[in-house]
Amino acid sequence: MRVAIIGDGIIGVAIAYFLKVSGADATLIGDLSRTSPSATDVSGGLLRVMDPDAALAHIALRGVLTFRNWEALGLPGNPGYTACGAVYLAKATAKAHCQNIAERLDCAQYPLSFLKQKELHRRFPGIKPPKNSTILFEPHGGYGSPKATRDALLDGYLNIGGAVVEATAQSIEKNIITHDAGVTHADVVIVATGAWTNALLSRSNIHCSATTTITPRTIAIPYFEDRDGKFAKQTFPVLVDLIRGTYLRPLCGGKFLIGAGNDGHIVDSTTRPALSQQHIADAHARGAQCVPALAQAAPSGGWLGIDGYTDSNRPVVGWVTNGRNTYLASGFSGRGYKLSLPIAAHVASEVLDRLGKRQHEITHRITTHKKAFAALVQRPERIKDPVADTENAEP
């Protein structure tokens, strides 16, 4: 049976790789020329585990361990992972909740510890947390490049004979995908098109419920450069300040990436918005709150990308009944990087089950825990379609 994966971001490419390495007849359909960059192309990936959402934290743990053990797992190329540690700041009232999650995550390969303000200042003197905040330190956390990871998996996919159609999908009609290079026939279609998902589904007469709508929004990622030499000799971890909604990711040579999630503006997913002075000023002010010396840093570029969000902040993953063997994997709310490998492996395993194929060892080892997966994702609305229900029984 033929499987077509629509989407050239990290989720789509990872799914294609796991299917192909498991022996499936896979074809990846995407804009590999990058004329319309996806969130994967512009994002700065954070790799840390702690999150208020316990299900997300469990899957993130498996994701970060995948990056840490990339070569040992037999994954291709270099994912661009850098282990610099991660500091997570939350309100003091959240400490018990964080402790509960940390205890449930208990993992010798990925220790978690709580720091007092004095200990944080001793280790990382440049970080200024809010008073009475809960400080959690992940020494093996870090960051990576979603683009580098996607490109490594794409090279691996091609090297094992994976097929690619360089095109943008226009619609899905039963088992025929129409795109700007012609048509592709497939028995199973996987839609992993991020912010472009709703447009593709609506053109294909596949409609999810209002609660599973994937809304395109912009995400601002400005870069800043230390020009006074204040950071060159200091080691900074990834900093996630949940209290003030800011994250800070070190780069190299005294450069930093500062973000604050999405900028709140809903945009047309076919546009290519540009980073504005307002985005830069906002990130500059937020960064200086966390690391006061960053007030002297100068902007040195950055990106404005488009991401796909759901109202519930939960990705939509699963079979769409009236899509005639269509599987949806989208809406990762800017948190897809650390989830990408285990979620993609899980998606591949569900499709392989339907195809009656055994998972490859790599896919099996990375697949999420089923309970965490079920708690994290929304399933697409299952609109009753007598023909689809007769022809394609639910897995």
Side-chain angles (χ1 to χ4, degrees):
M1 294 182 72
R2 299 160 297 179
V3 184
I5 306 93
I6 306 174
D8 53 57
I10 190 170
I11 297 291
V13 172
I15 293 170
Y17 173 78
F18 287 130
L19 286 171
K20 186 61 182 177
V21 82
S22 297
D25 181 0
T27 298
L28 179 68
I29 301 173
D31 178 25
L32 302 187
S33 64
R34 312 293 174 224
T35 56
S36 297
S38 67
T40 296
D41 294 295
V42 303
S43 295
L46 307 184
L47 292 171
R48 47 98 185 180
V49 168
M50 179 51 65
D51 194 278
D53 187 322
L56 192 150
H58 276 84
I59 297 177
L61 174 61
R62 180 156 288 198
V64 177
L65 290 178
T66 298
F67 282 98
R68 289 196 66 218
N69 297 285
W70 188 270
E71 186 175 350
L73 286 166
L75 291 166
N78 184 343
Y81 167 66
T82 298
C84 62
V87 169
Y88 178 90
L89 306 178
K91 293 180 179 178
T93 52
K95 186 170 184 178
H97 180 68
C98 289
Q99 285 178 322
N100 180 50
I101 292 176
E103 289 171 3
R104 290 168 62 186
L105 291 174
D106 184 26
C107 176
Q109 293 186 68
Y110 196 89
L112 299 166
S113 60
F114 289 87
L115 304 180
K116 293 183 178 180
Q117 299 253 359
K118 288 183 179 180
E119 177 65 10
L120 177 70
H121 182 72
R122 184 184 70 80
R123 291 188 184 218
F124 310 109
I127 296 177
K128 182 182 179 182
K131 291 183 179 180
N132 300 318
S133 55
T134 293
I135 305 166
L136 191 136
F137 181 46
E138 305 181 22
H140 297 319
Y143 63 91
S145 165
K147 181 179 183 302
T149 305
R150 186 268 316 280
D151 291 348
L153 291 168
L154 179 59
D155 287 344
Y157 172 76
L158 295 172
N159 287 338
I160 57 176
V164 171
V165 175
E166 294 194 37
T168 300
Q170 303 299 328
S171 65
I172 307 163
E173 179 65 30
K174 294 185 179 178
N175 295 337
I176 302 173
I177 303 163
T178 301
H179 45 71
D180 48 18
V183 298
T184 296
H185 295 261
D187 300 294
V188 174
V189 179
I190 301 172
V191 178
T193 46
W196 287 264
T197 298
N198 275 355
L200 175 61
L201 293 181
S202 64
R203 290 194 299 266
S204 307
N205 199 31
I206 299 173
H207 301 284
C208 292
S209 68
T211 58
T212 57
T213 297
I214 299 165
T215 304
R217 297 183 187 176
T218 53
I219 180 168
I221 311 172
Y223 296 169
F224 295 88
E225 184 176 2
D226 166 36
R227 295 183 179 173
D228 293 333
K230 293 184 178 179
F231 305 116
K233 297 181 181 179
Q234 293 189 25
T235 301
F236 275 86
V238 164
L239 177 64
V240 179
D241 182 356
L242 194 67
I243 300 170
R244 292 175 291 208
T246 302
Y247 63 83
L248 182 149
R249 195 194 100 169
L251 299 171
C252 59
K255 294 184 179 181
F256 289 82
L257 174 157
I258 303 172
N262 82 81
D263 70 354
H265 296 182
I266 298 175
V267 299
D268 178 353
S269 62
T270 62
T271 64
R272 295 181 65 183
L275 194 71
S276 70
Q277 288 300 316
Q278 185 59 46
H279 293 126
I280 294 170
D282 178 61
H284 198 220
R286 286 174 178 268
Q289 280 186 308
C290 301
V291 181
L294 279 173
Q296 305 303 316
S300 60
W303 298 87
L304 196 70
I306 299 176
D307 210 344
Y309 294 76
T310 63
D311 290 341
S312 67
N313 286 329
R314 295 195 178 282
V316 185
V317 184
W319 296 100
V320 181
T321 302
N322 75 327
R324 313 286 180 95
N325 262 6
T326 299
Y327 194 103
L328 181 59
S330 195
F332 288 87
S333 305
R335 300 180 295 183
Y337 188 43
K338 59 183 176 289
L339 305 178
S340 57
L341 275 298
I343 289 285
H346 194 109
V347 170
S349 71
E350 290 197 348
V351 173
L352 289 166
D353 283 346
R354 175 167 285 197
L355 299 178
K357 284 186 173 292
R358 178 178 294 182
Q359 296 177 53
H360 190 275
E361 179 63 20
I362 295 175
T363 309
H364 175 74
R365 292 177 66 184
I366 300 173
T367 300
T368 66
H369 291 293
K370 289 185 178 180
K371 288 185 178 178
F373 176 81
L376 176 67
V377 305
Q378 295 181 76
R379 293 292 194 175
E381 181 183 2
R382 302 182 185 281
I383 303 171
K384 292 297 180 182
D385 182 315
V387 177
D389 287 347
T390 300
E391 293 180 349
N392 305 308
E394 287 295 296

